[in-house]
């Protein structure tokens, strides 16, 4: 769900910082909020906006009229952090011309560099980690009283379940709904378990209520978000950390006796709950994990038309030794078996992936295994990155970052070229077929055209006529670019 690697195709995995506005006011103070990184960060910014508009703030797109500037940051790779640091220098200028301006760093960069930021970057007033957003009004008060303010405590409980996000920069059709926070997987390269803390699931009732409210407000697609949605688990008593591990394992795999299993909500159960809200509400989710995805999830996807036939299943690498060094918890064969299960239970389902090039000790043979697995899997889309060592991770502690920049770049290019070939082949198979498309907005290339997506997440463009965002249309695809289908509405 991150953005600054090489990506083929998908525009939902937003790359650009988005400036947000559009909320009600009353205390006269204005908030400028800018987000980097994954969908989860964008969803978090909507929680921040909700908390602060509740305190009377209005949001603004114009940094010059802001009283408070918050940057919601990403740490996943070094270049994400460098981009935020560069952006901070722009705010230095803003602060010079407006000395009372409060500047805060939110999100994943907060914990790791709190002291450095406050000392070296005199301009930063607030540092707040992903679990401390309820504390923001108090942190702002502290700064107004002349102090710097920091809260980077991570929680084992916080899910912001009761906070109704303020939809920012919205198209009014698609929205993110956070279903869990944190990650316990400890992949060797990944900083997320350190920046976002332990995994916890959100009360399913609050998730279904949020999705229902979105539908009532005209939204027609929700994306359920978590670092590892397949390990979502809720039981009457709360979080799975309070249960014996063997019960958790059985519950996640639907292996308890029926009356016991009924006390739990797994991801498959949650999907079913949300699917039943309305057949006109389409549901996507991200991110699945090859170690944890169950057949139960695939069967529930097969059962409901409004559960989109698209799975993001990051493989990271195609060689079992490499996957072990990465601590991914599956082998090449096990990954292939998951793909086979998807093909069997959900024929035609689109699958995308994430790939890291040049992880510690990667040999030419291991790299070639990644290429061959991509080809075998026929991924529809992929997000591809050069390995970037992150301080504090197992890889940083134990394995030298020994692949040269030159080799990383060359391998990344090969992986990107492979994916382009696969993506193009998929797009071509969409030609001369009718696609059910949810309209999201006006095409970037022409005001006369609308765009939307089919269930498999392919972008489809067609003439506007009298159709509107939020409507479903059937489009016969007659031509295409590498990644986009182009056609006309038929027999709607
Ligand atoms: N270097 C490069 N890519 C990384 N990712 C996570 N950590 C790193 C890292 N240190 C990628 C993985 C993950 C995606 C969100 O970001 O592919 O699935
Ligand atoms: Fe990072 Fe692995 Fe968790 Fe994904 S599953 S957030 S890559 S630790």
């Amino acid at each position: 769900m991150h953005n600054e690697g090489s990506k083929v195709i998908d525009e939902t995995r937003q790359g650009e910082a988005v400036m947000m506005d559009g909320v009600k006011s009353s205390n006269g103070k204005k908030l400028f909020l800018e987000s980097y990184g994954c969908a989860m960060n964008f969803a978090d910014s909507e929680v921040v906006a909700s908390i602060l508009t509740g305190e009377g703030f209005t949001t603004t797109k114009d940094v010059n009229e802001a009283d408070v500037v918050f940057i919601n940051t990403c740490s996943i790779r070094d270049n994400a952090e460098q981009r935020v640091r560069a952006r901070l220098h722009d705010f230095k200028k803003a602060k010079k011309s407006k000395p009372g301006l409060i500047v805060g760093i939110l999100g994943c960069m907060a914990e790791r560099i709190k002291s450095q930021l406050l000392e070296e970057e005199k301009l930063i007033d607030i540092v707040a980690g992903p679990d401390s957003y309820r504390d923001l009004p108090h942190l702002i008060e502290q700064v107004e009283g002349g102090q710097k303010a920091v809260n980077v405590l991570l929680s084992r409980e916080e899910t912001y379940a009761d906070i109704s996000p303020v939809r920012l920069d919205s198209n009014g059709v698609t929205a993110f709904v956070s279903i869990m926070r944190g990650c316990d997987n400890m992949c060797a390269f990944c900083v997320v378990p350190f920046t976002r803390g332990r995994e916890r699931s959100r009360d399913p009732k609050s998730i279904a209520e949020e999705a229902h409210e979105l539908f009532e407000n005209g939204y027609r697609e929700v994306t359920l978000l978590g670092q590892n949605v397949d390990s979502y688990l809720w039981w009457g008593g709360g979080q799975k950390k309070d249960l014996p591990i063997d019960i958790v394992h059985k519950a996640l795999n639907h292996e308890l006796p029926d009356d016991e299993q009924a006390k739990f909500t797994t991801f498959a159960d949650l999907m079913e709950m949300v699917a039943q809200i309305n057949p006109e509400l389409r549901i996507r989710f991200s991110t699945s994990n090859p170690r944890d995805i169950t057949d139960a999830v695939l069967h529930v996807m097969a059962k409901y038309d409004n559960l989109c036939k698209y799975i993001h299943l990051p493989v990271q690498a195609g060689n079992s030794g490499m996957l072990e060094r990465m601590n991914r918890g599956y082998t090449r064969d096990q990954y292939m078996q998951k793909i086979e299960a998807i093909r069997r239970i959900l024929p035609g389902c689109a699958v995308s992936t994430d790939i890291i090039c040049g992880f510690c000790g990667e040999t030419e043979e291991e790299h070639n295994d990644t290429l061959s697995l991509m080809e075998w899997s026929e991924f529809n889309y992929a997000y591809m990155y050069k390995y970037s060592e992150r301080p504090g991770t197992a890889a940083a502690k134990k394995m030298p970052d020994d692949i040269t920049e030159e080799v990383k770049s060359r391998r990344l290019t090969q992986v990107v070229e492979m994916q382009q070939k696969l993506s193009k082949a998929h797009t071509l198979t969409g030609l001369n077929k009718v696609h059910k498309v949810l309209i999201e907005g006006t095409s970037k290339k022409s005001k006369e055209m609308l765009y939307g997506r089919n269930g498999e997440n392919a972008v489809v463009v067609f003439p506007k006529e009298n159709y509107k965002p939020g409507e479903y249309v059937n489009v016969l695809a007659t031509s295409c670019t590498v990644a986009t289908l182009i056609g006309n509405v038929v027999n709607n």
Side-chain angles (χ1 to χ4, degrees):
M1 297 201 277
H2 294 268
N3 60 307
E4 72 292 334
S6 302
K7 76 181 162 185
V8 169
I9 300 156
D10 187 356
E11 293 180 14
T12 53
R13 290 163 189 277
Q14 61 294 87
E16 305 310 317
V18 174
M19 286 141 217
M20 300 163 161
D21 76 343
V23 195
K24 291 168 220 138
S25 76
S26 75
N27 75 356
K29 290 184 210 160
K30 293 200 166 153
L31 166 70
F32 178 89
L33 193 47
E34 195 168 290
S35 297
Y36 292 82
C38 65
M40 194 67 94
N41 254 15
F42 284 72
D44 277 5
S45 289
E46 298 186 331
V47 166
V48 169
S50 176
I51 291 167
L52 291 179
T53 52
E55 294 289 313
F57 280 81
T58 1
T59 55
T60 175
K61 267 186 184 172
D62 181 1
V63 67
N64 296 312
E65 60 173 39
D67 301 286
V68 175
V69 167
F70 281 146
I71 312 175
N72 198 351
T73 62
C74 171
S75 284
I76 196 91
R77 282 167 291 273
D78 187 57
N79 52 3
E81 288 196 1
Q82 294 312 331
R83 216 175 330 141
V84 167
R85 285 175 192 273
R87 186 70 176 122
L88 277 174
H89 289 284
D90 298 338
F91 296 125
K92 241 181 205 156
K93 285 184 217 140
K95 195 148 179 162
K96 261 194 196 136
S97 57
K98 193 173 189 181
L101 180 70
I102 295 175
V103 176
I105 289 284
L106 312 182
C108 290
M109 277 170 79
E111 161 58 22
R112 256 190 356 89
I113 42 183
K114 58 178 190 245
S115 49
Q116 195 187 350
L117 281 175
L118 289 171
E119 280 157 27
E120 283 176 24
E121 306 271 359
K122 298 247 170 333
L123 105 136
I124 296 165
D125 306 293
I126 294 178
V127 177
D131 289 342
S132 59
Y133 298 149
R134 286 181 203 268
D135 199 25
L136 283 172
H138 166 240
L139 297 175
I140 292 171
E141 261 173 37
Q142 220 173 303
V143 173
E144 286 170 342
Q147 289 169 289
K148 300 251 178 197
V150 179
N151 185 344
V152 292
L153 288 179
L154 289 171
S155 159
R156 297 201 65 176
E157 314 286 341
E158 181 64 273
T159 59
Y160 301 112
D162 57 316
I163 293 179
S164 181
V166 167
R167 303 293 159 187
L168 296 162
D169 211 54
S170 167
N171 59 10
V173 179
T174 62
F176 294 128
V177 174
S178 170
I179 65 162
M180 61 204 296
R181 300 181 72 77
C183 184
D184 283 348
N185 276 3
M186 300 304 255
C187 299
F189 50 78
C190 187
V191 78
V192 167
F194 305 96
T195 60
R196 299 190 77 96
R198 300 301 299 270
E199 181 198 294
R200 61 226 105 112
S201 298
R202 176 180 170 187
D203 185 336
K205 266 198 242 104
S206 76
I207 297 170
E209 274 161 19
E210 189 177 325
H212 191 259
E213 200 179 307
L214 284 164
F215 184 77
E216 295 287 298
N217 289 328
Y219 286 81
R220 291 294 174 265
E221 181 180 299
V222 295
T223 302
L224 307 178
L225 290 179
Q227 307 294 344
N228 177 2
V229 291
D230 303 297
S231 69
Y232 177 91
L233 190 69
W234 182 265
W235 60 293
Q239 296 297 336
K240 67 185 186 193
K241 72 178 169 56
D242 302 316
L243 286 165
I245 191 87
D246 59 318
I247 302 281
V248 169
H249 186 78
K250 284 188 179 145
L252 281 170
N253 290 292
H254 293 254
E255 285 166 358
L256 291 170
D258 286 354
D259 55 331
E260 283 299 305
Q261 188 71 40
K263 293 178 189 156
F264 291 87
T265 308
T266 63
F267 184 56
D269 301 329
L270 179 70
M271 294 240 284
E272 186 144 28
M273 274 171 77
V274 182
Q276 286 172 351
I277 290 172
N278 194 297
E280 293 289 292
L281 180 68
R282 221 155 71 157
I283 294 113
R284 299 188 186 282
F285 54 94
S286 190
T287 296
S288 300
N289 192 303
R291 156 168 34 186
D292 299 313
I293 190 169
T294 58
D295 283 2
V297 166
L298 306 180
H299 286 299
V300 88
M301 284 174 76
K303 188 167 157 194
Y304 292 90
D305 281 345
N306 57 339
L307 294 178
C308 289
K309 305 301 179 274
Y310 169 53
I311 302 178
H312 183 58
L313 196 67
V315 66
Q316 314 295 0
N319 173 280
S320 295
M322 181 75 147
L323 290 166
E324 195 174 341
R325 296 208 293 289
M326 288 178 158
N327 193 31
R328 287 291 290 178
Y330 54 86
T331 62
R332 177 186 173 99
D333 277 355
Q334 284 166 334
Y335 186 85
M336 291 166 97
Q337 282 162 26
K338 297 285 179 184
I339 296 281
E340 275 167 348
I342 294 170
R343 303 283 181 236
R344 187 175 65 246
I345 300 167
L346 296 166
C349 181
V351 180
S352 63
T353 202
D354 290 344
I355 287 179
I356 298 179
C357 297
F359 182 67
C360 310
E362 186 184 59
T363 63
E364 215 47 40
E365 197 187 339
E366 287 171 335
H367 164 64
N368 287 333
D369 282 347
T370 296
L371 292 171
S372 70
L373 186 61
M374 289 173 80
E375 197 159 30
W376 181 89
S377 304
E378 298 181 352
F379 294 121
N380 295 66
Y381 321 98
Y383 304 88
M384 297 154 286
Y385 313 99
K386 282 189 249 180
Y387 172 58
S388 163
E389 186 177 85
R390 308 313 294 135
T393 57
K397 285 187 194 148
K398 289 189 277 188
M399 292 174 244
D401 179 12
D402 54 358
I403 306 301
T404 63
E405 194 52 32
E406 203 186 338
V407 171
K408 283 182 187 174
S409 295
R410 192 253 303 153
R411 289 181 182 167
L412 178 63
T413 304
Q414 288 177 308
V415 161
V416 168
E417 282 169 1
M418 168 63 78
Q419 187 53 46
Q420 264 160 349
K421 185 180 97 179
L422 300 174
S423 295
K424 198 172 167 189
H426 276 294
T427 309
L428 287 173
T429 64
L431 283 182
N432 305 318
K433 286 188 186 141
V434 175
H435 300 263
K436 184 176 177 186
V437 175
L438 173 61
I439 307 175
E440 291 181 27
T442 304
S443 161
K444 274 186 209 141
K445 294 217 175 111
S446 161
K447 279 192 189 137
E448 300 311 309
M449 306 286 274
L450 293 171
Y451 82 96
R453 278 160 214 275
N454 66 12
E456 294 74 35
N457 213 30
V459 176
V460 183
V461 173
F462 55 92
K464 189 179 235 149
E465 299 176 53
N466 291 320
Y467 300 109
K468 293 191 183 55
E471 291 173 353
Y472 288 97
V473 283
N474 292 318
V475 178
L476 173 66
T478 49
S479 64
C480 65
T481 64
V482 174
T484 305
L485 291 163
I486 304 160
N488 289 290
V489 177
V490 288
N491 59 23
N492 216 39

